[in-house]
Amino acid sequence: MHQNKKFNIKKSLITKAVVSALTLSSFAATAEEEQSTEATAAELDIITVTAQKRVQNVMEVPITVGAVSADTIEETGSITLSDIDKFIPGFEFDDGNMTQAGITMRGISSPNISVGGDPSSASFYDDIYMPRAAQNVIFSDMGRVEVLKGPQGTLFGRNAAMGVVNMVPNSPTEDFEGFVKGTFGTDELQRYEGMVNVPLTDSFYMRANALWNMQGGIVDNVADPAWNDEVDTWDLGERDHKAGRLSFLWEMSSATDFQLSYDFDDLAQAPPMAIGLSEYAYNGGQDIFGDKAANDVRNGIESRDMHAVTFKMNHAFSDEWSMKYVASYRAWETEAKQDEDGTADARRYLDTNNIEDSNIFYTELQVNYVSDRINAVTGFSYSKEDVSQTTELNVTSDTIATLVTGELNSAIDGVVQAGVAGQLGLDINTATQEQLDAAASAAFGPDVTFQSAVAAIKDIQGIEEMEHMWNPDEWSGTINALDAAAPELGLVNSLLGLFDQLGIPHGGAITPELVAATGNLTYDAISTQVPALVGSPNYYMPEVFGPGFGGLWYQETVSNTGDFTNWGVFADVDFAITDKWNVIGGIRYSNDNKKFTWDIPLNSFATVPVNSLIAAQGLPPIPIENLLLPEQYFALKPFGGVMAAEDSWDKITGRLVTSYKLNDDEMIFASYSTGYKSGGYDSLDPQLDANGVPQAFDPEDTANFELGYKAVLWEQVVANISGYYLQLSNQQVSVSSKEPGDTAAVPRIISIDRDLTGFEFDLRWMATDSLTLGVITEIRSTDSHFPEYYNSTGDLIEAQTTSSNAALNYTLTLDFMPDFGVGTTNFHMDYVFQENTNASNPGLEDYLLAIPEYFVDRQDLNMRLSWANDDDNIEIGLWGKNLLDKDYLTGGGGLAASELGTPVGRINRGLEAGIDLKYSF
C-alpha cells in the first residue's frame, strides 16, 4: 500500500478481488492506468491515484475521495451514478429526470433547470468537463468513478465549489479481450452489453463497447387522449437508453501516446413520472402506489442525442518532466416533455417541455514535475459553451378557462371586500388587517372578523365560488348574483338589461339551459363588463371566452441562448519536508464570461377567441396576454420580445494542505481550500431591476477546513475518516414560486448562505480471506440562511435561519467469496437506510403535509450471487434489488399544484429480480 511495503497478496482471484475492493473503494481514486506501467493487482508495489492530477501513492493524497471500482459497478448491476451513490458518504445523485439530473455533495444540491447556471459540483468524463444535461452518462465499460469532496477549485476549476465527480472509462490496451453480457429481469428488463479490445499493431490498439438498457414501466398509463392517437403513450417509468464508445490508442514511443475517442449516447424513453396526488387524478389520487395512473401529456418523451470526440496526448520529456493535453467537442440535443398535473382532465392539463441544442469545446494542458521532494503540476484550461434552450408551457384552452375562473373568483371577492370595507369607513387598499378586523367586530359583533363578514355578504348576495366558468350551473348563478349586486359592484349596467339589449329572453333570471343554448354569447357579454369589475382600462377582457373555444391548445415559450467562456491557470506544488511530512500549496485564477438572451413571444392563443359583440361593433381585438410566465417579462417589452444581458466574474481560489504519516500504514492530514462557481442567469425569470434590466445571480463561494485520517490497520481494516467545516455563500437554489401578479408558480432562483459541519466514515474489514464487511455513514449539521421568497401557493416565506442535522444515512455492505473448489463464487449484499427529512423543509405546502408517504424513511436491501468457471470466461449472476419491496414517494409538488389543485409525485420501483449471463474472451 506504500512505497516501502508490499502486501503479500495471494494469487487467487478471490483474494485479489477483496484487496482491490479494500484499496480502490475505500481510499478513493485508483490510478489512471499508464499503459507503459500496467500491472495486475498481484504485481503492484504501490497503489497510485490521480486525484491531484499526478500519479501518487494513495497514502500521500491528503483529500477526502471516494470511489467505486469496475468490480463494484458490475457486482451491483450499476449503470448510472444514482446506482452507486450509496457507496460514498456525503454523495447523492438524483436522476428522476435524466437530462436534468442533480448532484448533491454534503447536502448541497445542484439545480439544473436553467441553462444560464451551472451545478455546484463539477462532473468530468474521461478528463473532460460535462455541463448540465450531459453529465448523467450510462456506465458502458466504465473503469471507475471517483468522487472528490470539498472545494476542488485549484485543480479542477470551473464549478467545483462543492466537489468533483470524475468518471473514468477504460482505455485501449495491448491485449486482445472482450465480452458479451445479457441481463434480464422484472418489469421486462433487457440489457445488452459488449466490449472488444483489439491490438491492431504492436503499438496501435482499438477498444469498442456498447450498452443498451430497456425496461418497462412500473405504472400502467390508462390515459387515452385523442391527441395521442398516432403516437405511443408511455407507461410511467419506461426506459430505453443506448450508449457506446470507440477509442484508439497509439503508443508512438515509450514517452508519447495519443488517444482518440468517439462517444455516443441515445436516450428515448418515458418522461419523468407524474403520479397524481389530487382528487382529479386516477382513482381520486387515493392510491399513490397503485398499478395505474393517468398521464395525458401530448407527445410526452425524454430524449437525448449526444455525440463527442475526445483527443488526449501524454508525453514524458524526461524522468522529471511530463505533460498531458486533452481536447474535446461534445454536442447534444435534448427534449423533456412531461406531464405536470398527473390527471387526464382536460380542464387541468399542463405540460412543460425543455428543448435544448447545445455544445461545448473543452481543452486543458497540464505540465508535471517530479523530483525526490517535489511533485508539482501546472497548466491552463479553456472552455466555450454555446447553449440554446426553449422552454414550453402547454395547456388546453379548457385549462386557461380554469385559470381565468380563479381570477374571476378573486376579482369578485376583491370587489366585495372593497364594498364591505367602504361600509366600515375604510379603504381596502390602505387599511391593515388589524384595522379591518376591529371595524368588522365593532359593526357586526365581537366574534366577527373582516373575512367572515365578507363571506356573509357573498352568501346573502348568492355569490358562490366557481370551479369552472364553463359549468352552466355555476356560470348562470354568478351572472344572476352579479346582476343583483351590479350597483354595489360598480358594473356599467344591469346584466339582465344587457341581455335585453341583445334580445335574449331570460324571464328575470339566467338559467343553465339558457347558458348552454346560447353558446359563447353570455360569456362575450360578461367579458365586456369585467373591465368595470376589476378596474381595467380595456373595453373588454378577452380572457373571458366561452366553451365554443374548448379543445384548443395554448402555448407560452421562453427561448434562451447563451455564449459562455471560461479559462483558468493553475499551479499546485507538493513538497516533502521530511519522509513523513508533506505540505501542499495550490492556486488558480478562473475567469467566466456569460452572454444570455431571453426571447418571449406572445402566446399561441392570443387572438383565437373572437368576441362576437366586439366584432359586431368593428372594434379591434385585444390579444390575450401571457398568463403563465412572470409579469416581469413585459416590463419593457409588452407581449414579448428579446432581452439580452452579459456579465463576467473572476476568482482566485487555492488550497493549503499538510499531511503526516504516523507510520507506514496511517496518515493524518489537514487542509484549507476554497472553491468557486460562476454567476449566471435564470432562464425562466430575468429578475429585472428597477430599471427593467435583467440581473445575474451572484457566484457561489466556498471555504472548507478539513481534517482526515487514512489507515490500513492490522492488514485487515481500511479506515477513511474525515471531518470538515464548510462555509457556502450564495448557493443558487431553484424553488417553485408564485409572486404577486403571477397567474401560476414558476421555478425561480434564490440565493442561500449555509454553514456546514460534518464527519464522514468509510470502514472496511477483511474479516477473513473470503469475507469483507463495510459501513459507510456521515454526520452533518447545517445552518441555512434563507431570504424571503414566495412559495408555490403564493405565501410569503419570511427570511429565516434554520438549523438541521443530516439524516441518519448509512450503507452496510457484505462481500462473501467462499472457495468451493469449482470456479469462483461471490455473494454481495448492501443495505441502505435513509432518514426522511422532508418535514424540515421551509415553506412546505399544506398539500404535502397531508401526505404521510412523503415523510417515510427509506430502506433498501440489494443482493447478487454470481459464479464464474475456472477459466473465468463464463459468469452467471442472480440478483435482486429492493428485496424488502418497499414503496416510497420520492418527490412531491409540481407547477400545477397551486392554481390547478393537482400536485404530483414520483415513486420508486418495487422489488426487482433477474439474471445476467456474461461470456468473456
Side-chain angles (χ1 to χ4, degrees), residues 694-901:
Q695 296 298 292
F697 42 74
D698 292 333
E700 288 183 7
D701 293 313
T702 52
N704 186 63
F705 300 87
E706 192 134 359
L707 298 174
Y709 171 74
K710 295 182 178 184
V712 179
L713 305 174
W714 316 293
E715 298 187 0
Q716 288 182 308
V717 176
V718 176
N720 192 3
I721 302 171
S722 62
Y724 61 89
Y725 172 69
L726 184 142
Q727 293 179 308
L728 169 62
S729 301
N730 298 319
Q731 183 195 0
Q732 301 152 10
V733 174
S734 177
V735 297
S736 183
S737 174
K738 182 186 177 187
E739 294 186 350
D742 292 349
T743 305
V746 296
R748 283 189 170 91
I749 302 295
I750 63 173
S751 294
I752 301 172
D753 295 336
R754 300 189 194 267
D755 298 317
L756 293 81
T757 304
F759 295 90
E760 295 170 349
F761 304 87
D762 187 349
L763 303 174
R764 312 295 171 98
W765 175 34
M766 189 174 173
T768 69
D769 286 347
S770 60
L771 178 64
T772 303
L773 305 174
V775 59
I776 301 159
T777 189
E778 65 171 327
I779 300 171
R780 184 177 64 248
S781 175
T782 304
D783 293 331
S784 302
H785 310 281
F786 290 85
E788 70 174 25
Y789 68 97
Y790 290 89
N791 68 9
S792 65
T793 57
D795 298 322
L796 179 63
I797 307 302
E798 300 291 343
Q800 59 184 295
T801 297
T802 65
S803 296
S804 63
N805 294 321
L808 176 61
N809 298 336
Y810 60 84
T811 300
L812 305 178
T813 64
L814 180 151
D815 286 278
F816 182 47
M817 301 181 183
D819 188 357
F820 295 118
V822 179
T824 303
T825 303
N826 180 38
F827 175 73
H828 169 84
M829 179 181 73
D830 59 71
Y831 172 78
V832 182
F833 179 86
Q834 294 179 325
E835 183 183 0
N836 190 299
T837 60
N838 286 337
S840 64
N841 295 337
L844 204 60
E845 291 82 359
D846 289 340
Y847 62 81
L848 290 176
L849 292 171
I851 303 175
E853 294 84 356
Y854 190 61
F855 304 97
V856 174
D857 297 334
R858 181 159 187 163
Q859 303 174 68
D860 282 332
L861 179 64
N862 310 289
M863 300 181 186
R864 183 176 185 266
L865 175 65
S866 64
W867 177 85
N869 65 354
D870 288 332
D871 294 332
D872 202 29
N873 63 347
I874 297 176
E875 181 180 328
I876 302 172
L878 300 174
W879 55 267
K881 296 182 178 181
N882 189 13
L883 291 173
L884 300 178
D885 198 18
K886 298 283 190 177
D887 296 322
Y888 303 103
L889 181 64
T890 59
L895 298 180
S898 59
E899 293 307 313
L900 299 177

Side-chain angles (χ1 to χ4, degrees), residues 391-688:
T391 303
E392 299 176 352
L393 290 87
N394 301 295
V395 298
T396 60
S397 54
D398 308 61
T399 298
I400 290 300
T402 300
L403 296 173
V404 172
T405 301
E407 295 301 308
L408 284 174
N409 288 332
S410 298
I412 294 170
D413 190 67
V415 170
V416 175
Q417 289 186 41
V420 174
Q423 294 176 20
L424 298 174
L426 297 173
D427 184 343
I428 190 67
N429 296 312
T430 58
T432 66
Q433 188 63 50
E434 290 77 8
Q435 291 172 327
L436 292 169
D437 288 337
S441 178
F444 304 117
D447 296 328
V448 178
T449 66
F450 178 75
Q451 288 299 332
S452 63
V454 169
I457 296 299
K458 289 173 66 177
D459 185 59
I460 293 172
Q461 294 176 337
I463 299 176
E464 297 182 355
E465 187 168 285
M466 295 181 290
E467 182 178 0
H468 198 281
M469 65 183 184
W470 288 354
N471 184 316
D473 290 320
E474 296 178 346
W475 184 244
S476 60
T478 296
I479 291 176
N480 293 324
L482 289 177
D483 180 76
E488 298 176 38
L489 300 180
L491 297 179
V492 173
N493 56 8
S494 165
L495 298 182
L496 296 184
L498 176 61
F499 293 138
D500 286 334
Q501 297 175 24
L502 297 174
I504 301 176
H506 51 74
I510 299 299
T511 65
E513 293 75 18
L514 180 61
V515 170
T518 55
N520 295 333
L521 189 56
T522 57
Y523 297 89
D524 289 349
I526 295 300
S527 73
T528 65
Q529 302 300 302
V530 173
L533 186 67
V534 299
S536 169
N538 293 332
Y539 49 86
Y540 82 102
M541 300 294 284
E543 292 86 352
V544 180
F545 54 86
F549 297 101
L552 303 178
W553 290 101
Y554 175 104
Q555 181 185 85
E556 294 182 23
T557 63
V558 181
S559 293
N560 305 111
T561 64
D563 181 359
F564 307 154
T565 58
N566 167 270
W567 63 271
V569 292
F570 63 92
D572 196 73
V573 179
D574 184 344
F575 180 70
I577 298 177
T578 69
D579 291 342
K580 293 186 176 183
W581 182 19
N582 283 57
V583 174
I584 301 174
I587 192 169
R588 184 186 191 103
Y589 173 78
S590 299
N591 184 284
D592 284 274
N593 178 266
K594 290 188 176 183
K595 300 176 182 178
F596 203 69
T597 68
W598 298 261
D599 183 9
I600 311 102
L602 192 59
N603 65 79
S604 63
F605 196 67
T607 58
V608 171
V610 178
N611 187 304
S612 59
L613 303 181
I614 298 301
Q617 300 177 55
L619 296 173
I622 299 174
I624 294 178
E625 297 185 17
N626 289 8
L627 300 173
L628 303 175
L629 295 170
E631 66 177 5
Q632 292 97 304
Y633 280 124
F634 308 101
L636 290 182
K637 301 180 181 297
F639 308 124
V642 178
M643 291 180 284
E646 180 178 2
D647 210 337
S648 297
W649 305 268
D650 60 359
K651 187 74 174 181
I652 294 176
T653 55
R655 66 173 184 157
L656 181 62
V657 188
T658 184
S659 63
Y660 186 79
K661 293 181 182 179
L662 300 174
N663 53 50
D664 288 342
D665 295 323
E666 297 178 86
M667 182 191 76
I668 58 174
F669 67 87
S671 68
Y672 173 74
S673 58
T674 59
Y676 154 79
K677 165 184 164 181
S678 75
Y681 296 96
D682 191 337
S683 59
L684 292 182
D685 186 357
Q687 301 188 8
L688 306 180

